[in-house]
Amino acid sequence: MPSEEEQQPLLSGFESNARISELKSVEIEEFFEHKPVAIRWWPRLVAWESRLLWVLSGSSIVVSVFNYMLSFVTLTFTGHLGSVELAGASIASVGIQGLAYGIMLGMASAVQTVCGQAYGANRQASMGVICQRAIVLHLGAAVLLTFLYWYSGAFLKAIGQSESIAEQGQIFARGLIPQLYAFATSCPMQRFLQAQNIVNPLAYMSIGVLLFHILLTWIVVYILDYGLLGAALTLSLSWWILSILNALYILLSPSCKETWTGFSIKAFTGIWPYFKLTIASAVMLCLEIWYSQGLVLISGLLPDPTISLDSISVCMNYLNWDITFILGLAAGTSVRISNELGAGHPKVAKFSVLVVSATSLLISILFSALVMIFRVGLGELFSSDTEVLAAVYNLTPLLAISILLNGIQPILSGVAIGSGWQAVVAYVNLACYYVVGLPIGCVLGFKTSLGVVGIWWGMIIGVLCQTVTLLIITARTNWQSEVEKAIDRVNKSTNEETLELLTSI
């Protein structure tokens, strides 16, 4: 019978956290191969994984939150222009800008999958071509979406929004057209940098641009009195500054010398196979993002739509803030998973999933508690209307429940992106959100006296259904099989230059 020392040859001599923190993933993977793992090692292994996770996720959270804060700040300023202006900007932000953002972010997750796994497999040379190919596809999508932005007023009326709200929404949406093209360039570039663990520079850029945006929006809205259109154009300008900074870093930084080898005509070849992966990625994330946004749109059909829209939009902004924070953690997770799968470390990948899930749940419990503690003041940042404040107060307990559920769901989506499960998760999202959650929300909102509260309950039920399903899928995953799929995907994308990525997902 082998002794514990013989079973765990790599770590048995290390008695300090400082030494274990210096170990590489390949050594931890070998350590996990020697079962059983003694209880005394688990705290140190959790500390090892947490350190790696937060090195990635800390800055990713800053990037995610501060990028979201650009829109959050804009809506805060427009909210003090009036209730109709806030409703118009909110409905455009949710129904138009959110639609485009979901598509761009979803398509960019394909960059995260392929580049992350290529980086883990030490195949950096083709990452720049993959990023360029993604930008080409994103710009094509932006051209098509421009028509929706320009004719957004007619679209908002067609889905039942009032004349005044649709008019203000169109003004705001047209001012966001330049931002659409900034999305198309910055989303792939940010995922390209994150895939190779370059996150601190992205965080510094995001912080700097947000500070500039706050000052400029204050000047444009309050000093120059350019109103809703001025606020939208300012947001577009800030996003373009962020995109230009991302591009300059990629072009000039020595950190990207191995992954960015210059512009290549190869970016225009092999587009169709890569397009299939981006479609699966976009559908997965869009179904997720549009679900909550669709419920906001539906709330505009309730009696007294201005109050309903304002209250649910305020709460949704806080929920989006929380989701944005967790999505930063999920971005770090997807990089960790994709890197480890690409490097051939299934047990480390599985361990990373367990650690980040527990971490995210604890964070969400804390956020839920804070929402309930500051329940009275949540609406005052956006509005001084007493009816809106009362409606926000009534929605706050449901907001807390949603925050708690979102402690797990985005993390599991991050695992899916890192593993390349986008197509599977797209089907899960379609069933849980649009077959289960949305109909329940409509019934409770329009056929009972619950109103906007019933619509939110529908969202909660859909998210719960999706979370349970993804937990089952993740728990039943064969991580060794995922390693084999990742290696096959990387080989096809880097050796054959055809990017035949689709069949394995």
Side-chain angles (χ1 to χ4, degrees), residues 146 149-150 172-182 233 236 240:
T146 299
Y149 273 61
W150 188 257
F172 191 74
R174 288 182 174 180
L176 294 179
I177 290 177
Q179 181 203 35
L180 178 60
Y181 292 86
L233 289 172
S236 294
W240 264 111

Side-chain angles (χ1 to χ4, degrees), residues 54 56-69 190 194 199-208 210 321 324-325 327-329:
W54 283 106
L56 283 171
S57 298
S59 295
S60 295
I61 289 170
V62 171
V63 172
S64 184
V65 170
F66 277 71
N67 286 353
Y68 170 72
M69 282 291 289
Q190 288 189 1
Q194 288 173 336
V199 285
N200 287 341
L202 286 174
Y204 300 144
M205 295 176 207
S206 298
I207 294 171
L210 176 64
W321 205 350
T324 301
F325 181 95
L327 283 177
L329 191 59

Side-chain angles (χ1 to χ4, degrees), residues 420-492:
W421 303 340
Q422 286 94 326
V424 174
V425 178
Y427 288 117
V428 172
N429 289 350
L430 180 63
C432 294
Y433 290 159
Y434 297 92
V435 176
V436 177
L438 190 60
I440 291 176
C442 290
V443 170
L444 293 178
F446 292 96
K447 299 299 182 181
T448 73
S449 60
L450 292 175
V452 69
V453 173
I455 290 176
W456 198 296
W457 268 117
M459 181 179 69
I460 289 175
I461 293 169
V463 172
L464 178 61
C465 178
Q466 189 239 26
T467 301
V468 171
T469 304
L470 290 183
L471 278 172
I472 294 171
I473 292 174
T474 305
R476 294 171 58 87
T477 296
N478 183 329
W479 292 99
Q480 182 58 49
S481 175
E482 294 303 319
V483 165
E484 294 169 2
K485 291 178 182 179
I487 292 173
D488 181 60
R489 187 180 294 118
V490 170
N491 285 337
K492 290 178 179 178

Side-chain angles (χ1 to χ4, degrees), residues 27-305:
E27 296 170 313
I28 299 297
E29 179 72 21
E30 185 176 339
F31 179 63
F32 280 132
E33 294 285 350
H34 295 77
K35 297 180 179 180
V37 177
I39 295 177
R40 65 190 179 91
W41 287 117
W42 286 110
R44 301 182 187 188
L45 291 168
V46 169
W48 176 84
E49 176 59 39
S50 296
R51 182 183 64 85
L52 291 177
L53 180 65
W54 283 106
V55 165
L56 283 171
S57 298
S59 295
S60 295
I61 289 170
V62 171
V63 172
S64 184
V65 170
F66 277 71
N67 286 353
Y68 170 72
M69 282 291 289
L70 293 173
S71 295
F72 184 85
V73 166
T74 300
L75 286 178
T76 301
F77 277 101
T78 58
H80 291 280
L81 293 174
S83 295
V84 176
E85 285 82 357
L86 174 59
S90 297
I91 207 70
S93 180
V94 169
I96 309 299
Q97 181 194 27
L99 172 71
Y101 192 61
I103 291 174
M104 297 296 179
L105 208 59
M107 293 174 66
S109 74
V111 179
Q112 214 161 347
T113 300
V114 183
C115 284
Q117 293 179 355
Y119 188 78
N122 200 27
R123 304 284 186 85
Q124 293 97 328
S126 65
M127 291 174 63
V129 175
I130 294 169
C131 180
Q132 292 172 57
R133 187 176 285 116
I135 291 175
V136 171
L137 290 175
H138 277 68
L139 288 173
V143 171
L144 297 176
L145 288 168
T146 299
F147 294 97
L148 175 63
Y149 273 61
W150 188 257
Y151 296 105
S152 54
F155 171 77
L156 293 175
K157 292 176 187 176
I159 62 175
Q161 303 303 319
S162 67
E163 180 80 27
S164 59
I165 291 176
E167 180 182 347
Q168 295 300 315
Q170 178 170 277
I171 292 172
F172 191 74
R174 288 182 174 180
L176 294 179
I177 290 177
Q179 181 203 35
L180 178 60
Y181 292 86
F183 276 162
T185 55
S186 65
C187 285
M189 288 190 292
Q190 288 189 1
R191 296 304 180 270
F192 167 78
L193 291 171
Q194 288 173 336
Q196 49 191 308
N197 302 335
I198 298 175
V199 285
N200 287 341
L202 286 174
Y204 300 144
M205 295 176 207
S206 298
I207 294 171
V209 170
L210 176 64
L211 294 176
F212 170 79
H213 179 67
I214 293 172
L215 175 62
L216 187 60
T217 304
W218 177 75
I219 293 173
V220 168
V221 174
Y222 283 133
I223 305 301
L224 300 180
D225 196 25
Y226 284 162
L228 203 57
L229 180 60
L233 289 172
T234 302
L235 181 59
S236 294
L237 175 62
S238 297
W239 265 99
W240 264 111
I241 292 172
L242 184 62
S243 181
I244 291 170
L245 290 175
N246 293 162
L248 289 175
Y249 185 88
I250 291 173
L251 294 173
L252 303 177
S253 172
S255 301
C256 298
K257 64 181 180 180
E258 294 184 1
T259 55
W260 181 268
T261 55
F263 294 99
S264 173
I265 194 66
K266 292 178 181 179
F268 297 94
T269 61
I271 284 193
W272 177 246
Y274 186 80
F275 177 71
K276 293 180 182 179
L277 180 61
T278 63
I279 287 296
S281 302
V283 170
M284 184 202 86
L285 203 58
C286 285
L287 288 175
E288 197 166 299
I289 292 175
W290 296 346
Y291 177 58
S292 58
Q293 293 170 344
L295 293 175
V296 175
L297 294 174
I298 290 171
S299 69
L301 305 178
L302 292 168
D304 198 354

